[in-house]
């Protein structure tokens, strides 16, 4: 879904902004990460829907990539999933703050984007459990992609 250059840029942005991510996010070759990250939305969604979501959240792809990697490491525990979703929310906020550089309080676009990001945060909180468990069982029986 992403080019090697796009994935490498995500890794660099995560480091530059001080985002939270598992060590394997920055230490894994972009080609291998490309097999894991799928952008916004569940892999069960039609590809055109995920592409549309990626366009809507185009400035926040790094947060989704980190979240995909975190989910790929699923241990099946609900507390770890809640932590992964909280990390996603924190990373979105850090990117949002960096994007608007202190103007977010008086910028209508900034508030509109924050509203969209809150929808994304709630979507992963409410829809992620089934995916988290499915990935855990895949990892247990087939091994992790990382």
């Amino acid at each position: 879904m992403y080019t090697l250059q796009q994935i490498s840029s995500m890794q660099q942005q995560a480091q530059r902004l001080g985002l939270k991510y598992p060590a394997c996010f920055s230490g894994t070759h972009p080609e291998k990460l490309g097999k894991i990250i799928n952008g916004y939305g569940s892999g069960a969604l039609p590809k055109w829907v995920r592409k549309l979501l990626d366009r809507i959240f185009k400035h926040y792809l790094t947060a989704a990539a980190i979240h995909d990697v975190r989910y790929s490491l699923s241990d099946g525990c609900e507390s770890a999933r809640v932590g992964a979703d909280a990390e996603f929310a924190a990373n979105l906020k850090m990117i949002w703050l960096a994007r608007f550089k202190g103007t977010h309080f008086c910028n209508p676009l900034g508030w509109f984007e924050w509203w969209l990001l809150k929808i994304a945060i709630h979507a992963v909180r409410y829809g992620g459990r089934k995916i988290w468990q499915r990935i855990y069982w895949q990892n247990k029986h087939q091994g992790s992609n990382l």
Side-chain angles (χ1 to χ4, degrees):
M1 179 157 211
Y2 299 111
T3 66
L4 297 181
Q5 180 57 42
Q6 288 171 313
I7 295 169
S8 180
S9 293
M10 290 178 203
Q11 290 172 312
Q12 292 168 14
Q13 182 187 41
Q15 291 174 341
R16 187 176 66 253
L17 295 179
L19 302 181
K20 296 188 183 303
Y21 53 86
C24 61
F25 180 76
S26 63
T28 302
H29 190 275
E31 188 172 4
K32 196 168 186 179
L33 284 180
K35 296 175 183 172
I36 296 168
I37 60 177
N38 69 350
Y40 278 85
S42 160
L45 290 174
K47 193 172 184 175
W48 70 268
V49 173
R50 289 199 329 269
K51 283 188 176 193
L52 176 64
L53 289 171
D54 276 1
R55 289 188 86 171
I56 292 169
F57 296 107
K58 66 184 175 187
H59 299 291
Y60 304 93
L61 297 178
T62 301
I66 293 168
H67 192 252
D68 289 345
V69 169
R70 189 64 79 179
Y71 263 54
S72 78
L73 302 171
S74 172
D75 63 0
C77 294
E78 183 63 13
S79 61
R81 183 185 78 84
V82 169
D85 293 347
E87 177 184 75
F88 175 64
N91 285 340
L92 286 174
K93 185 174 184 179
M94 289 177 73
I95 296 169
W96 180 74
L97 289 170
R99 176 165 156 63
F100 289 98
K101 297 178 182 86
T103 66
H104 56 282
F105 289 112
C106 60
N107 187 330
L109 177 61
W111 286 112
F112 178 69
E113 281 191 17
W114 183 246
W115 177 75
L116 290 174
L117 295 174
K118 292 298 262 183
I119 292 171
I121 291 165
H122 288 292
V124 299
R125 283 188 179 150
Y126 294 109
R129 176 177 288 150
K130 192 180 220 179
I131 296 166
W132 182 261
Q133 291 300 322
R134 179 179 49 80
I135 293 170
Y136 167 70
W137 286 106
Q138 283 176 349
N139 289 347
K140 188 172 179 173
H141 297 290
Q142 300 168 3
S144 175
N145 287 329
L146 288 176

